[in-house]
Amino acid sequence: MRMRAVWRLWSPGRGSRSVGDSARRRINASCPRAAYLGLLAGMALKPVLGKLGSKRVVLASASPRRQEILCSVGLRFEVVPSWFKETLEKSSFATPYKYAIETAKQKALEVANRMHVKHLRTPDIVIGADTIVTVDEHILEKPIDKQDAYRMLSRLSGKEHSVFTGVAIVHCNSKDNRLETEVTDFYEETKVKFADLSEELLWEYIHSGEPMDKAGGYGIQALGGMLVEYVHGDFLNVVGFPLNHFCKKLVELYYPPPKHTIHHIKHDSIPSVETFENLSDEENDSSSPLQYKGAIKLDRSKTHSSGGVCSPGSSNIIKPNCMMPVENQNGVMENPDKFPSKILELLDGFRASKALFVASKLKVFDLLKNKGVLQAVDVANTINSSVCGTERLLDACAALGLLEKTLQGYSNSDSANIYLASDSEDSLHGYIIHSDDHLWPLFTHLESAVKEGTMQNYRAFGKKSENLFQDSYYQSMEVKQRFMAAMHSIAKLTAKDVATAFDLSQFRSACDLGGCTGALANELVQKYPNLKVTVFDLPEVIANVSHFQPVRQHTAPVTFTSGDFFKDNFPEADLYILSRILHDWTDEKIHMLLSKISAACKPGPAHVCLRRGERFKCDLITSYIYPLDIEEMSFLKGLTLWSSAV
Ligand SMILES: Cc1cn([C@H]2C[C@H](O)[C@@H](COP(=O)(O)OP(=O)(O)OP(=O)(O)O)O2)c(=O)[nH]c1=O
């Protein structure tokens, strides 16, 4: 409700044209709004993005570039690629950017509607985007084949062209089971000039495969960068998402400037700065109060002592007030942010992970879920640990946002109750313990893995990884059950997104190879009642799946078949799923598995969806899939999906 009110206040900015210039802006005292936007765009991104922290944000895009851009600034979101076909009649739009905006809007609305209808879990915000290239009054989208790429690139050769990205931010609200949406849209233009491209260079580039999933047939962020003479405007806009303009839109939406927006504070030795007191969360918005309130309400007098904030995710990093812009001698606002927050977060990341692991292992979250609020001493006594050590651990968890600390003691945050208590339905406890016991020791040998190019199971556990599962994960009943619980918890969490990443309603049968407890399979039968899903996994896994099955099943149950996918024939299916499988094996084994699947697939369009960590296997996979047409390919957490259409 509140958001809708804010929305109305800030609708004038809709569809407005951006200056397209990410350079620092001069603060114009006579124009507080311009000053305000310029500052925020450059300096206070975290508070702006933090506003989305408590919302269910969905990116309606399969573009790995967009996912990366938004991920890289710490935005939390789900990815649900849009099924909207980009077939709007271009000639019916007065300008190319209107076409891009409309396509972006339709992409986002399609996802919002689908999620509302199918999931009954309406997202708060859906973001859609569409990137096009225009040259000589022609709109170029993604090439359909190599000849098309050739036509596009030769058209761009030696010329300046424009790249437009249209973006739609759709706010959703479910009222009486009806979806209400409010759309804010905008576009950004960047000019790019190509060098003269020789025929040879052009074809070499086309044969690299890079042009195929990119507007205009090139990727400026990779090989395509070599073709470019200059770029005027926002580089990220070319890559698919105008981050700077997006943040400005968020500012317009979430921080309407009150009358007296900006104050100058003078200090003897510190240049005058703008403050953002108006950015305080007036209505006590739940978005990361620790981090953002502190970051916003700055007080120069406390600089470098207590003015910093302890952000969740960086337990003991003090961030001084370096996020504030300062005016240089010429009156231009500059970011004095020389404080390497990102690097320090990475540097300290292992401490944060380990605090989570240890608190989970000691069942701190279970205890607090049952008892409500406890003092450190009571926790220490119950978990049989020292009081001083426990207190430090609890404080670290509070700084990380996992616990809340008041005078009465420590209690679980909402997300700790949902995801960290071991008995909750969506618990990640199993996966956390697996990460501590298995992944942590492996990652301590990362340096050797890089130097040798080999798996490190032997170094970490004294076991060869010839047969990872038999040797490591299934060596004893206890270890096996723990591993299955880990896989179940993470697969369950991502299953909904994975099941709706593509429209699978055309398939009649699917086989989830190495599908373990059937977490994804059970989600698939929910979403596609006509789909018969078989989970194929080792006999020792199948023997233990029963207690992971849903209590109330309203659909045809999943079938479990045992076997070894390297040795045995797997069940016939229209659709084969490899979810969290390929990363475990050597290329040799992957070749073996993929050729078996390739032979089992019926001819027809293929769908490939890889999770981010598997991107490096992409070439290998596409070489097998090549006899089929790759209809859709995208990167998504949790899934490699491979199919032949019926
Ligand atoms: C010009 C250019 C485009 N691109 C990409 C960005 C977009 O992913 C793509 C344009 O296609 P889009 O249709 O905008 O996006 P998409 O099909 O990748 O994803 P979705 O429709 O699901 O949102 O081209 C680059 O990666 N680099 C470039 O230099």
Side-chain angles (χ1 to χ4, degrees), residues 480-507:
K480 178 172 60 186
Q481 282 180 349
R482 212 183 306 141
F483 176 70
M484 287 178 69
M487 292 305 114
H488 186 73
S489 64
I490 194 74
K492 200 159 162 264
L493 192 74
T494 52
K496 271 200 175 64
D497 289 343
V498 168
T500 50
F502 298 130
D503 180 4
L504 303 177
S505 53
Q506 59 187 311
F507 299 108

PDB file of all heavy atoms in Angstrom, residues 480-507:
ATOM      1  N   LYS A 480      25.518 -40.481   3.992  1.00  0.00           N
ATOM      2  CA  LYS A 480      24.608 -40.468   2.839  1.00  0.00           C
ATOM      3  C   LYS A 480      23.337 -39.677   3.169  1.00  0.00           C
ATOM      4  O   LYS A 480      22.897 -38.831   2.390  1.00  0.00           O
ATOM      5  CB  LYS A 480      24.244 -41.909   2.465  1.00  0.00           C
ATOM      6  CG  LYS A 480      23.267 -41.954   1.301  1.00  0.00           C
ATOM      7  CD  LYS A 480      23.055 -43.345   0.795  1.00  0.00           C
ATOM      8  CE  LYS A 480      22.499 -44.211   1.899  1.00  0.00           C
ATOM      9  NZ  LYS A 480      22.416 -45.611   1.498  1.00  0.00           N
ATOM     10  N   GLN A 481      22.781 -39.943   4.340  1.00  0.00           N
ATOM     11  CA  GLN A 481      21.538 -39.242   4.691  1.00  0.00           C
ATOM     12  C   GLN A 481      21.771 -37.741   4.823  1.00  0.00           C
ATOM     13  O   GLN A 481      20.945 -36.931   4.420  1.00  0.00           O
ATOM     14  CB  GLN A 481      20.951 -39.821   5.968  1.00  0.00           C
ATOM     15  CG  GLN A 481      20.251 -41.124   5.637  1.00  0.00           C
ATOM     16  CD  GLN A 481      19.636 -41.793   6.834  1.00  0.00           C
ATOM     17  OE1 GLN A 481      19.892 -41.412   7.963  1.00  0.00           O
ATOM     18  NE2 GLN A 481      18.833 -42.817   6.581  1.00  0.00           N
ATOM     19  N   ARG A 482      22.939 -37.401   5.338  1.00  0.00           N
ATOM     20  CA  ARG A 482      23.255 -35.985   5.464  1.00  0.00           C
ATOM     21  C   ARG A 482      23.374 -35.348   4.076  1.00  0.00           C
ATOM     22  O   ARG A 482      22.881 -34.259   3.820  1.00  0.00           O
ATOM     23  CB  ARG A 482      24.562 -35.817   6.235  1.00  0.00           C
ATOM     24  CG  ARG A 482      24.573 -34.542   7.038  1.00  0.00           C
ATOM     25  CD  ARG A 482      25.876 -34.307   7.753  1.00  0.00           C
ATOM     26  NE  ARG A 482      26.293 -35.416   8.600  1.00  0.00           N
ATOM     27  CZ  ARG A 482      27.554 -35.818   8.711  1.00  0.00           C
ATOM     28  NH1 ARG A 482      28.512 -35.240   8.041  1.00  0.00           N
ATOM     29  NH2 ARG A 482      27.875 -36.813   9.502  1.00  0.00           N
ATOM     30  N   PHE A 483      24.038 -36.075   3.182  1.00  0.00           N
ATOM     31  CA  PHE A 483      24.207 -35.545   1.823  1.00  0.00           C
ATOM     32  C   PHE A 483      22.840 -35.393   1.137  1.00  0.00           C
ATOM     33  O   PHE A 483      22.553 -34.371   0.493  1.00  0.00           O
ATOM     34  CB  PHE A 483      25.107 -36.488   1.010  1.00  0.00           C
ATOM     35  CG  PHE A 483      25.249 -36.061  -0.419  1.00  0.00           C
ATOM     36  CD1 PHE A 483      25.969 -34.913  -0.737  1.00  0.00           C
ATOM     37  CD2 PHE A 483      24.656 -36.780  -1.443  1.00  0.00           C
ATOM     38  CE1 PHE A 483      26.101 -34.492  -2.052  1.00  0.00           C
ATOM     39  CE2 PHE A 483      24.780 -36.361  -2.762  1.00  0.00           C
ATOM     40  CZ  PHE A 483      25.499 -35.225  -3.070  1.00  0.00           C
ATOM     41  N   MET A 484      21.994 -36.398   1.317  1.00  0.00           N
ATOM     42  CA  MET A 484      20.671 -36.319   0.680  1.00  0.00           C
ATOM     43  C   MET A 484      19.862 -35.157   1.259  1.00  0.00           C
ATOM     44  O   MET A 484      19.170 -34.443   0.527  1.00  0.00           O
ATOM     45  CB  MET A 484      19.921 -37.651   0.842  1.00  0.00           C
ATOM     46  CG  MET A 484      20.497 -38.745  -0.052  1.00  0.00           C
ATOM     47  SD  MET A 484      19.668 -40.324   0.159  1.00  0.00           S
ATOM     48  CE  MET A 484      18.067 -39.994  -0.552  1.00  0.00           C
ATOM     49  N   ALA A 485      19.971 -34.964   2.568  1.00  0.00           N
ATOM     50  CA  ALA A 485      19.240 -33.845   3.195  1.00  0.00           C
ATOM     51  C   ALA A 485      19.750 -32.512   2.647  1.00  0.00           C
ATOM     52  O   ALA A 485      18.976 -31.587   2.393  1.00  0.00           O
ATOM     53  CB  ALA A 485      19.417 -33.889   4.710  1.00  0.00           C
ATOM     54  N   ALA A 486      21.077 -32.458   2.438  1.00  0.00           N
ATOM     55  CA  ALA A 486      21.662 -31.218   1.904  1.00  0.00           C
ATOM     56  C   ALA A 486      21.121 -30.945   0.509  1.00  0.00           C
ATOM     57  O   ALA A 486      20.672 -29.832   0.198  1.00  0.00           O
ATOM     58  CB  ALA A 486      23.181 -31.341   1.865  1.00  0.00           C
ATOM     59  N   MET A 487      21.163 -31.960  -0.349  1.00  0.00           N
ATOM     60  CA  MET A 487      20.701 -31.770  -1.721  1.00  0.00           C
ATOM     61  C   MET A 487      19.208 -31.440  -1.751  1.00  0.00           C
ATOM     62  O   MET A 487      18.742 -30.621  -2.529  1.00  0.00           O
ATOM     63  CB  MET A 487      20.955 -33.040  -2.551  1.00  0.00           C
ATOM     64  CG  MET A 487      22.413 -33.307  -2.788  1.00  0.00           C
ATOM     65  SD  MET A 487      23.232 -31.883  -3.546  1.00  0.00           S
ATOM     66  CE  MET A 487      24.343 -31.352  -2.292  1.00  0.00           C
ATOM     67  N   HIS A 488      18.487 -32.090  -0.858  1.00  0.00           N
ATOM     68  CA  HIS A 488      17.045 -31.857  -0.814  1.00  0.00           C
ATOM     69  C   HIS A 488      16.756 -30.403  -0.457  1.00  0.00           C
ATOM     70  O   HIS A 488      15.933 -29.745  -1.093  1.00  0.00           O
ATOM     71  CB  HIS A 488      16.416 -32.800   0.211  1.00  0.00           C
ATOM     72  CG  HIS A 488      14.926 -32.742   0.220  1.00  0.00           C
ATOM     73  ND1 HIS A 488      14.171 -33.299  -0.789  1.00  0.00           N
ATOM     74  CD2 HIS A 488      14.052 -32.166   1.091  1.00  0.00           C
ATOM     75  CE1 HIS A 488      12.887 -33.072  -0.535  1.00  0.00           C
ATOM     76  NE2 HIS A 488      12.789 -32.385   0.594  1.00  0.00           N
ATOM     77  N   SER A 489      17.457 -29.896   0.545  1.00  0.00           N
ATOM     78  CA  SER A 489      17.119 -28.539   1.010  1.00  0.00           C
ATOM     79  C   SER A 489      17.402 -27.497  -0.065  1.00  0.00           C
ATOM     80  O   SER A 489      16.606 -26.606  -0.303  1.00  0.00           O
ATOM     81  CB  SER A 489      17.833 -28.204   2.317  1.00  0.00           C
ATOM     82  OG  SER A 489      19.226 -28.171   2.143  1.00  0.00           O
ATOM     83  N   ILE A 490      18.514 -27.629  -0.766  1.00  0.00           N
ATOM     84  CA  ILE A 490      18.836 -26.602  -1.758  1.00  0.00           C
ATOM     85  C   ILE A 490      17.982 -26.787  -3.021  1.00  0.00           C
ATOM     86  O   ILE A 490      17.529 -25.817  -3.633  1.00  0.00           O
ATOM     87  CB  ILE A 490      20.362 -26.557  -2.070  1.00  0.00           C
ATOM     88  CG1 ILE A 490      20.722 -25.290  -2.829  1.00  0.00           C
ATOM     89  CG2 ILE A 490      20.862 -27.761  -2.815  1.00  0.00           C
ATOM     90  CD1 ILE A 490      20.720 -24.053  -1.988  1.00  0.00           C
ATOM     91  N   ALA A 491      17.727 -28.054  -3.380  1.00  0.00           N
ATOM     92  CA  ALA A 491      16.925 -28.293  -4.586  1.00  0.00           C
ATOM     93  C   ALA A 491      15.494 -27.806  -4.371  1.00  0.00           C
ATOM     94  O   ALA A 491      14.866 -27.234  -5.264  1.00  0.00           O
ATOM     95  CB  ALA A 491      16.922 -29.785  -4.930  1.00  0.00           C
ATOM     96  N   LYS A 492      14.998 -27.993  -3.166  1.00  0.00           N
ATOM     97  CA  LYS A 492      13.625 -27.584  -2.872  1.00  0.00           C
ATOM     98  C   LYS A 492      13.483 -26.062  -2.990  1.00  0.00           C
ATOM     99  O   LYS A 492      12.504 -25.546  -3.517  1.00  0.00           O
ATOM    100  CB  LYS A 492      13.289 -28.024  -1.441  1.00  0.00           C
ATOM    101  CG  LYS A 492      11.840 -28.105  -1.147  1.00  0.00           C
ATOM    102  CD  LYS A 492      11.605 -28.999   0.037  1.00  0.00           C
ATOM    103  CE  LYS A 492      10.224 -28.731   0.587  1.00  0.00           C
ATOM    104  NZ  LYS A 492      10.241 -27.794   1.705  1.00  0.00           N
ATOM    105  N   LEU A 493      14.516 -25.387  -2.519  1.00  0.00           N
ATOM    106  CA  LEU A 493      14.471 -23.927  -2.542  1.00  0.00           C
ATOM    107  C   LEU A 493      14.432 -23.365  -3.964  1.00  0.00           C
ATOM    108  O   LEU A 493      13.769 -22.378  -4.247  1.00  0.00           O
ATOM    109  CB  LEU A 493      15.703 -23.389  -1.816  1.00  0.00           C
ATOM    110  CG  LEU A 493      15.690 -21.915  -1.490  1.00  0.00           C
ATOM    111  CD1 LEU A 493      14.741 -21.660  -0.340  1.00  0.00           C
ATOM    112  CD2 LEU A 493      17.081 -21.449  -1.111  1.00  0.00           C
ATOM    113  N   THR A 494      15.173 -24.012  -4.859  1.00  0.00           N
ATOM    114  CA  THR A 494      15.269 -23.465  -6.218  1.00  0.00           C
ATOM    115  C   THR A 494      14.268 -24.110  -7.179  1.00  0.00           C
ATOM    116  O   THR A 494      14.122 -23.658  -8.311  1.00  0.00           O
ATOM    117  CB  THR A 494      16.688 -23.673  -6.782  1.00  0.00           C
ATOM    118  OG1 THR A 494      17.034 -25.048  -6.638  1.00  0.00           O
ATOM    119  CG2 THR A 494      17.706 -22.825  -6.063  1.00  0.00           C
ATOM    120  N   ALA A 495      13.578 -25.155  -6.713  1.00  0.00           N
ATOM    121  CA  ALA A 495      12.760 -25.957  -7.636  1.00  0.00           C
ATOM    122  C   ALA A 495      11.682 -25.138  -8.349  1.00  0.00           C
ATOM    123  O   ALA A 495      11.451 -25.319  -9.548  1.00  0.00           O
ATOM    124  CB  ALA A 495      12.128 -27.124  -6.877  1.00  0.00           C
ATOM    125  N   LYS A 496      11.059 -24.233  -7.631  1.00  0.00           N
ATOM    126  CA  LYS A 496       9.950 -23.475  -8.232  1.00  0.00           C
ATOM    127  C   LYS A 496      10.438 -22.664  -9.424  1.00  0.00           C
ATOM    128  O   LYS A 496       9.819 -22.646 -10.482  1.00  0.00           O
ATOM    129  CB  LYS A 496       9.337 -22.529  -7.205  1.00  0.00           C
ATOM    130  CG  LYS A 496       8.254 -23.154  -6.414  1.00  0.00           C
ATOM    131  CD  LYS A 496       7.358 -22.094  -5.773  1.00  0.00           C
ATOM    132  CE  LYS A 496       6.191 -22.740  -5.063  1.00  0.00           C
ATOM    133  NZ  LYS A 496       6.582 -23.571  -3.937  1.00  0.00           N
ATOM    134  N   ASP A 497      11.553 -21.989  -9.236  1.00  0.00           N
ATOM    135  CA  ASP A 497      12.090 -21.161 -10.325  1.00  0.00           C
ATOM    136  C   ASP A 497      12.516 -22.022 -11.501  1.00  0.00           C
ATOM    137  O   ASP A 497      12.306 -21.680 -12.656  1.00  0.00           O
ATOM    138  CB  ASP A 497      13.303 -20.367  -9.841  1.00  0.00           C
ATOM    139  CG  ASP A 497      12.884 -19.272  -8.896  1.00  0.00           C
ATOM    140  OD1 ASP A 497      11.688 -18.939  -8.892  1.00  0.00           O
ATOM    141  OD2 ASP A 497      13.731 -18.772  -8.162  1.00  0.00           O
ATOM    142  N   VAL A 498      13.141 -23.130 -11.150  1.00  0.00           N
ATOM    143  CA  VAL A 498      13.627 -24.019 -12.204  1.00  0.00           C
ATOM    144  C   VAL A 498      12.447 -24.577 -13.005  1.00  0.00           C
ATOM    145  O   VAL A 498      12.455 -24.592 -14.234  1.00  0.00           O
ATOM    146  CB  VAL A 498      14.459 -25.158 -11.572  1.00  0.00           C
ATOM    147  CG1 VAL A 498      14.745 -26.245 -12.576  1.00  0.00           C
ATOM    148  CG2 VAL A 498      15.754 -24.604 -11.004  1.00  0.00           C
ATOM    149  N   ALA A 499      11.412 -24.978 -12.294  1.00  0.00           N
ATOM    150  CA  ALA A 499      10.264 -25.609 -12.963  1.00  0.00           C
ATOM    151  C   ALA A 499       9.544 -24.638 -13.893  1.00  0.00           C
ATOM    152  O   ALA A 499       8.885 -25.065 -14.846  1.00  0.00           O
ATOM    153  CB  ALA A 499       9.300 -26.157 -11.911  1.00  0.00           C
ATOM    154  N   THR A 500       9.660 -23.359 -13.631  1.00  0.00           N
ATOM    155  CA  THR A 500       8.943 -22.398 -14.480  1.00  0.00           C
ATOM    156  C   THR A 500       9.884 -21.602 -15.387  1.00  0.00           C
ATOM    157  O   THR A 500       9.462 -20.667 -16.049  1.00  0.00           O
ATOM    158  CB  THR A 500       8.142 -21.403 -13.619  1.00  0.00           C
ATOM    159  OG1 THR A 500       9.005 -20.875 -12.634  1.00  0.00           O
ATOM    160  CG2 THR A 500       6.962 -22.063 -12.968  1.00  0.00           C
ATOM    161  N   ALA A 501      11.154 -22.003 -15.411  1.00  0.00           N
ATOM    162  CA  ALA A 501      12.106 -21.260 -16.250  1.00  0.00           C
ATOM    163  C   ALA A 501      11.691 -21.341 -17.721  1.00  0.00           C
ATOM    164  O   ALA A 501      11.820 -20.384 -18.473  1.00  0.00           O
ATOM    165  CB  ALA A 501      13.506 -21.819 -16.070  1.00  0.00           C
ATOM    166  N   PHE A 502      11.220 -22.488 -18.133  1.00  0.00           N
ATOM    167  CA  PHE A 502      10.693 -22.657 -19.487  1.00  0.00           C
ATOM    168  C   PHE A 502       9.267 -23.170 -19.391  1.00  0.00           C
ATOM    169  O   PHE A 502       8.895 -23.771 -18.396  1.00  0.00           O
ATOM    170  CB  PHE A 502      11.488 -23.711 -20.257  1.00  0.00           C
ATOM    171  CG  PHE A 502      12.928 -23.365 -20.446  1.00  0.00           C
ATOM    172  CD1 PHE A 502      13.910 -24.284 -20.133  1.00  0.00           C
ATOM    173  CD2 PHE A 502      13.299 -22.134 -20.945  1.00  0.00           C
ATOM    174  CE1 PHE A 502      15.240 -23.981 -20.323  1.00  0.00           C
ATOM    175  CE2 PHE A 502      14.633 -21.822 -21.139  1.00  0.00           C
ATOM    176  CZ  PHE A 502      15.603 -22.744 -20.825  1.00  0.00           C
ATOM    177  N   ASP A 503       8.543 -22.989 -20.469  1.00  0.00           N
ATOM    178  CA  ASP A 503       7.210 -23.591 -20.521  1.00  0.00           C
ATOM    179  C   ASP A 503       7.381 -25.062 -20.896  1.00  0.00           C
ATOM    180  O   ASP A 503       7.719 -25.387 -22.032  1.00  0.00           O
ATOM    181  CB  ASP A 503       6.374 -22.868 -21.575  1.00  0.00           C
ATOM    182  CG  ASP A 503       4.979 -23.460 -21.657  1.00  0.00           C
ATOM    183  OD1 ASP A 503       4.670 -24.363 -20.839  1.00  0.00           O
ATOM    184  OD2 ASP A 503       4.206 -23.036 -22.529  1.00  0.00           O
ATOM    185  N   LEU A 504       7.167 -25.938 -19.956  1.00  0.00           N
ATOM    186  CA  LEU A 504       7.388 -27.365 -20.209  1.00  0.00           C
ATOM    187  C   LEU A 504       6.080 -28.102 -20.477  1.00  0.00           C
ATOM    188  O   LEU A 504       6.054 -29.330 -20.481  1.00  0.00           O
ATOM    189  CB  LEU A 504       8.109 -27.994 -19.002  1.00  0.00           C
ATOM    190  CG  LEU A 504       9.457 -27.353 -18.625  1.00  0.00           C
ATOM    191  CD1 LEU A 504      10.038 -28.003 -17.382  1.00  0.00           C
ATOM    192  CD2 LEU A 504      10.446 -27.456 -19.769  1.00  0.00           C
ATOM    193  N   SER A 505       5.010 -27.326 -20.692  1.00  0.00           N
ATOM    194  CA  SER A 505       3.710 -28.000 -20.797  1.00  0.00           C
ATOM    195  C   SER A 505       3.610 -28.891 -22.031  1.00  0.00           C
ATOM    196  O   SER A 505       2.764 -29.762 -22.101  1.00  0.00           O
ATOM    197  CB  SER A 505       2.573 -26.971 -20.780  1.00  0.00           C
ATOM    198  OG  SER A 505       2.810 -26.015 -21.768  1.00  0.00           O
ATOM    199  N   GLN A 506       4.499 -28.706 -22.999  1.00  0.00           N
ATOM    200  CA  GLN A 506       4.440 -29.537 -24.202  1.00  0.00           C
ATOM    201  C   GLN A 506       4.979 -30.949 -23.956  1.00  0.00           C
ATOM    202  O   GLN A 506       4.766 -31.842 -24.763  1.00  0.00           O
ATOM    203  CB  GLN A 506       5.275 -28.881 -25.293  1.00  0.00           C
ATOM    204  CG  GLN A 506       6.720 -28.714 -24.859  1.00  0.00           C
ATOM    205  CD  GLN A 506       7.549 -27.920 -25.839  1.00  0.00           C
ATOM    206  OE1 GLN A 506       7.534 -28.192 -27.017  1.00  0.00           O
ATOM    207  NE2 GLN A 506       8.257 -26.929 -25.336  1.00  0.00           N
ATOM    208  N   PHE A 507       5.657 -31.166 -22.858  1.00  0.00           N
ATOM    209  CA  PHE A 507       6.273 -32.471 -22.622  1.00  0.00           C
ATOM    210  C   PHE A 507       5.330 -33.408 -21.869  1.00  0.00           C
ATOM    211  O   PHE A 507       4.552 -32.974 -21.029  1.00  0.00           O
ATOM    212  CB  PHE A 507       7.572 -32.306 -21.828  1.00  0.00           C
ATOM    213  CG  PHE A 507       8.593 -31.479 -22.554  1.00  0.00           C
ATOM    214  CD1 PHE A 507       8.893 -30.192 -22.138  1.00  0.00           C
ATOM    215  CD2 PHE A 507       9.223 -31.986 -23.684  1.00  0.00           C
ATOM    216  CE1 PHE A 507       9.811 -29.422 -22.829  1.00  0.00           C
ATOM    217  CE2 PHE A 507      10.140 -31.225 -24.379  1.00  0.00           C
ATOM    218  CZ  PHE A 507      10.429 -29.937 -23.955  1.00  0.00           C
TER     219      PHE A 507
END
